[in-house]
Amino acid sequence: MSVTSRSWLALVVAVALAPALLGAKALPDRPSADRQPTGARTPRVSPVPEAQWTAKQKELVSKLAPGGRADNLFATLLTVPEIVEGAMPFTNYLLTSSTLSPRHRDLLILRTAWLCGSQPLWATHAARAKTTGFSADELQRVAQGPDTPGWEAFEKTLLQAADQLYRNSKINDATYGALSAQYDLEHMMDAVEMVGHFLFLGQIANSLGVQPDQGLSDRLPKVPYRIVVPDAEPALTKARVDPLPGPGIAVGRTFSRHAKLNQVRTLRANFINRVSKLTPRHREMFILRIGWDCQSEYEWAQHVGTVGRARDHGLNPVEVAKGPDAPGLDSFDRAIYRAVDDLYRDVSVSDTSWKALSARFDTGLIMSGIYSAASYRATSMSLRTYGVQLEPSDERFPKVD
């Protein structure tokens, strides 16, 4: 065989082995394109009854519950009042104060609820959407997806963006460009964060077994579950959203381009990094594993490095990347990584993982772990879509074989 022939043979073998090499990176399966997630069938954490509310919980309902009424999701989150303080200001901003029109808000929320298979989110927001002009036919078409006839071009693009964020953790160039033709920077960021935050809520609601409120009759339409997106594009090598100049890391300066949004986003993050009772080691396990699953290298670099200081907390980044199948893992560490992979792939912690977490965590710690992974999944989607760039000295993903 000639040298040229051997070279071509080597190239063919390398291409053929590429999928196997990707599989060796310990990445879980992506969210399914044809199997709808489901939440726990019954509550794992029950809503706190109004008769048992503390003064603090009553204050939070009055201050942060839409219309001053705690629905089942809000009342469940009251189990850990600090979670309400972290999550609900962002929720309320997106529902009432974002730059998006009410119709565009509802389109993105409903499509995300459908992607998550979240009955309580769908029931709540379908009822809300009908008050702002959505017809029964339009609700059905949201579930059927962007390729269903009847959407005007820009609304179709919004639905495509939601699908790409869910399945690829990133919006591709063509879709981002189409959105940018009509949206300015603040609209773009509000649209990305709408999907990310309601995916965050969907993971929490599904995992805790939150049920639709009494009196809400809308349920997820019974249509085939189908997500059609292009393959995920490589990580951006140039920022789409340029960070503001000045001191501080790039993620903070990027979100500061939209000050009003950043204020409430910071509250969501502060629960994880300043308030949660998770140990630093466990906190970083939830964050790093979801960053790996979403392939958000910037998030990984910060939490292996100076933000999370993973090694200072006894974590080996290669083991995090290898995940629950890494040899020699403590059984509880394995349970945390499996729970994160459940959330990424299935939008809910499985019964097996919930039971394993319960062996060492109380309800509040389980909720804090789910919140942490779900929030950093949303952040991963943002970082990849905005193209936040690593510094030359940042530690990149490990090579895992």
Side-chain angles (χ1 to χ4, degrees):
M1 184 183 291
S2 69
V3 172
T4 301
S5 297
R6 286 197 299 271
S7 298
W8 275 108
L9 179 60
L11 177 60
V12 170
V13 171
V15 170
L17 286 177
L21 292 173
L22 283 175
K25 289 179 68 178
L27 290 171
D29 292 338
R30 285 194 300 163
S32 176
D34 56 15
R35 179 177 55 82
Q36 189 166 34
T38 58
R41 300 296 184 186
T42 57
R44 289 169 169 163
V45 180
S46 297
V48 180
E50 185 173 355
Q52 297 176 18
W53 289 350
T54 65
K56 171 74 169 178
Q57 290 165 331
K58 291 176 182 177
E59 178 187 357
L60 289 172
V61 172
S62 175
K63 179 181 176 182
L64 294 174
R69 177 188 169 276
D71 63 11
N72 282 346
L73 176 57
F74 193 108
T76 302
L77 297 184
L78 282 175
T79 303
V80 182
E82 295 82 4
I83 283 180
V84 174
E85 293 175 310
M88 288 310 298
F90 203 164
T91 306
N92 291 337
Y93 165 78
L94 292 169
L95 288 174
T96 64
S97 303
S98 82
T99 59
L100 304 186
S101 69
R103 180 173 175 84
H104 287 179
R105 292 173 193 167
D106 288 337
L107 270 176
L108 290 172
I109 292 169
L110 287 167
R111 185 60 182 173
T112 305
W114 169 258
L115 294 170
C116 293
S118 174
Q119 290 286 13
L121 287 183
W122 182 273
T124 297
H125 293 284
R128 180 176 176 272
K130 286 191 285 191
T131 69
T132 63
F134 270 75
S135 67
D137 175 69
E138 286 176 313
L139 292 175
Q140 181 95 345
R141 281 197 285 120
V142 170
Q144 291 170 322
D147 294 331
T148 304
W151 295 118
E152 63 96 2
F154 191 76
E155 292 183 344
K156 177 177 180 176
T157 303
L158 282 172
L159 296 172
Q160 289 171 331
D163 288 5
Q164 290 169 24
L165 285 166
Y166 174 72
R167 188 145 158 77
N168 292 344
S169 302
K170 180 176 179 284
I171 298 176
N172 72 11
D173 286 337
T175 304
Y176 194 89
L179 291 176
S180 299
Q182 183 166 323
Y183 274 175
D184 64 15
L185 177 61
E186 290 191 352
H187 282 77
M188 289 292 295
M189 294 179 75
D190 280 343
V192 172
E193 301 310 315
M194 186 76 75
V195 176
H197 187 74
F198 277 85
L199 176 55
F200 157 80
L201 293 175
Q203 290 166 94
I204 292 172
N206 282 1
S207 296
L208 303 187
V210 176
Q211 303 300 305
D213 280 55
Q214 286 188 344
L216 295 180
S217 59
D218 288 285
R219 294 295 183 270
L220 294 164
K222 295 184 182 300
V223 301
Y225 188 79
R226 179 172 173 268
I227 308 172
V228 179
V229 297
D231 290 339
E233 295 173 344
L236 295 166
T237 57
K238 184 179 183 301
R240 287 170 172 163
V241 179
D242 291 321
L244 290 176
I249 61 176
V251 60
R253 292 184 289 115
T254 299
F255 278 106
S256 292
R257 293 290 305 276
H258 189 344
K260 193 172 181 181
L261 180 146
N262 191 42
Q263 183 177 17
V264 291
R265 188 202 71 87
T266 300
L267 293 175
R268 191 182 72 191
N270 281 351
F271 170 78
I272 302 166
N273 297 306
R274 299 185 181 181
V275 179
S276 163
K277 292 187 168 98
L278 290 171
T279 66
R281 183 175 186 277
H282 288 151
R283 177 193 68 216
E284 295 305 316
M285 290 174 72
F286 282 102
I287 293 171
L288 282 168
R289 184 61 188 174
I290 198 65
W292 175 264
D293 288 353
C294 296
Q295 287 293 278
S296 177
E297 197 162 27
Y298 181 90
E299 180 178 313
W300 175 274
Q302 299 310 309
H303 286 270
V304 168
T306 56
V307 173
R309 305 189 326 277
R311 290 184 179 87
D312 291 352
H313 304 307
L315 294 176
N316 177 345
V318 172
E319 283 188 348
V320 179
K322 288 184 175 179
D325 296 325
L329 275 185
D330 170 84
S331 62
F332 193 71
D333 290 356
R334 199 181 308 279
I336 288 177
Y337 294 144
R338 282 205 174 114
V340 175
D341 290 357
D342 291 346
L343 285 168
Y344 172 72
R345 183 187 57 246
D346 302 324
V347 201
S348 181
V349 171
S350 69
D351 289 337
T352 299
S353 294
W354 185 276
K355 182 177 180 180
L357 292 177
S358 299
R360 197 176 301 180
F361 279 177
D362 63 18
T363 298
L365 288 176
I366 294 176
M367 290 175 67
S368 296
I370 293 167
Y371 178 114
S372 299
S375 178
Y376 271 90
R377 180 180 188 174
T379 299
S380 291
M381 290 158 46
S382 302
L383 295 171
R384 297 194 68 206
T385 297
Y386 303 152
V388 179
Q389 297 296 296
L390 281 73
E391 299 296 334
S393 61
D394 282 343
E395 183 173 339
R396 306 192 78 93
F397 283 139
K399 295 186 185 301
V400 177
D401 53 33

